[in-house]
Amino acid sequence: MSEKLYIFDTTLRDGEQVPGCQLNTLEKIEVAKALDELGVDIMEVGFPVSSPGDFNSIVEITKVITRPVLCALTRAVEKDIDVAADALHFAKRKRIHTGIGTSWHHITHKFNSNRDDILQRAAACVQYAKKYVEDVEFYAEDAGRTDNEYLAKVIEAVIAVGATVVNIPDTTGYCTPEEYGAKIRFLKENVKNIHKVIIATHCHNDLGMATANTLSGVLNGARQVEVTVNGIGERAGNTALEEVVMAIGCRKDMPVHTEVNTPKIYRTSRLVSTLMRMPVQPNKAIVGRNAFAHSSGIHQDGVLKNRESYEIIDPAEVGISESSIVLTARSGRHALSHHLERIGFRLTAEELEDAYQKFLKLADRKKDVSDEDLRVIVGVGQSEQHRRVKLKYLQVVCGKSSIPMATVQLNIDGEICTATASGSGPVDAAFSAIRQLVHRRVTLEEYLVQVVTRGSDDIGKVHVQVENQGNTYYGFSANTDVVTASAEAFIDAISKIV
Ligand code: KIV
Ligand code: ZN
């Protein structure tokens, strides 16, 4: 059995630091509940000294969430640690995450200090936090740019005073995977008592290498990964939870496993994106709209023959149930018939050919074709064939300052008949002419027009409901010409009476 990899989620702390992504307490509780259901092991729920709002949110979360370890961030400052201990008062399982910058840049510019002083402050903050909690995680900020020898001394010092987890952040996202992995290995091989603690990765994505660096850290001995949902976080963001979890889940050569409930991934991603007003890019790995979408005919055919031809993860494993075959102008007949069967239409070869030609015409005008569009394509074709009353010809006259008139020619059981009528508008005129020809007392009970998308060149769908001798009949049609669609929908309903 492989070793367990601990998932430390920092969506509510590092993720929430992004300008414009701030959540109120209720929203944070909602995200915390979703993360709990997702099965993360540790949840970093805030930086309590930063604001009274953050402090309160942490307190409220600790009252609701009891399974995972709840963690609060501090600087290497006693006041921060006091406040964090206070904020975590109700937490069942708690951790304080404290630390200090260890790179030359931080020591010189941020602290105007020296290495000995920083080493001493690192150990002191851990020692101080131990007064309050057993579980203390230490972070060496900007460890990515800290030289390994000095980093090893700092880590050894914090372990000596009781740190339980040591976090090695690549705060600026500067490391390459090889370099970051080597750093973790160096610590594993050179720090006294390193086996007593868990090494954590915390990678930022400034060069797009956060996931690669995290995995490299894991392959070199890290057993906790610090991640956010959708990879949100300052600048280019943090390591994306879903990417690391699925990389570990789908590859068979990883030395670790996670206990994440992966079918909850997509739902959690949507929730975080919505609440944090942070859209997910369509081509984002695992959770992007196109992550499992196949649009070219060759790929669609390959996936339909065997999903694994072009998919390394079953979308259902991350909670995506929709079909991954997107219908576009490049789709083939195989993809079309797959979708038609999915929504309940099994066509003969001839019918499919007819539907495919209609589909191609529509797909040329629309970016992608929806289930609604398919029903329109097939529904119209099927009902027309079986109708006893068919529209042969329709001409309307309408416009400002003219009396709306319609001339209609119908084929009723093979007999051609024509009528002309006026009305309050072209549709009303067409309906009157149809009524004259079918010799039925039909009352129009409902008339509804919808456009499939939003363009003025789009298909209009028309539903009508008519009454005859106490019975109700429904008719439907669709056409880019809404007057024709209306006449056909009316005839569709009437032909059911006839
Ligand atoms: O990126 C970073 O270094 C951090 C620490 C505060 C853990 O977020
Ligand atoms: Zn960070």
Side-chain angles (χ1 to χ4, degrees), residues 13-14 17 44 73-74 97 139-142 167 169-172 202 204 226 238:
R13 199 279 299 171
D14 226 352
Q17 266 168 227
E44 189 164 51
L73 185 83
T74 82
H97 188 192
Y139 64 86
E141 194 177 10
D142 206 14
N167 178 12
D170 182 21
T171 306
T172 56
H202 180 115
H204 280 262
E226 307 203 351
N238 288 56

Side-chain angles (χ1 to χ4, degrees), residues 8-23 28 31 35 44-47 54 73 202 204 226-239 272 275-278:
F8 176 115
D9 180 274
T10 183
T11 305
L12 290 172
R13 199 279 299 171
D14 226 352
E16 216 247 351
Q17 266 168 227
V18 178
C21 284
Q22 275 67 41
L23 301 177
K28 284 187 189 171
V31 172
L35 292 170
E44 189 164 51
V45 284
F47 180 17
D54 210 28
L73 185 83
H202 180 115
H204 280 262
E226 307 203 351
V227 291
T228 60
V229 174
N230 300 338
I232 61 161
E234 292 212 54
R235 310 184 306 279
N238 288 56
T239 307
V272 167
L275 292 181
M276 292 195 160
R277 295 163 285 274
M278 191 68 150

Side-chain angles (χ1 to χ4, degrees), residues 393-459:
Y393 172 85
L394 169 69
Q395 188 183 47
V396 291
V397 178
C398 62
K400 199 166 176 198
S401 310
S402 71
I403 297 171
M405 301 284 292
T407 300
V408 172
Q409 194 173 70
L410 299 184
N411 175 336
I412 305 177
D413 283 336
E415 200 181 310
I416 308 295
C417 45
T418 308
T420 298
S422 61
S424 61
V427 173
D428 188 48
F431 285 12
S432 293
I434 294 165
R435 273 197 191 92
Q436 286 178 29
L437 293 173
V438 295
H439 309 296
R440 299 274 157 177
R441 275 182 50 86
V442 226
T443 313
L444 183 64
E445 290 191 323
E446 196 170 305
Y447 168 66
L448 182 71
V449 184
Q450 284 175 300
V451 282
V452 174
T453 56
R454 291 180 197 88
S456 59
D457 62 345
D458 216 331
I459 287 185

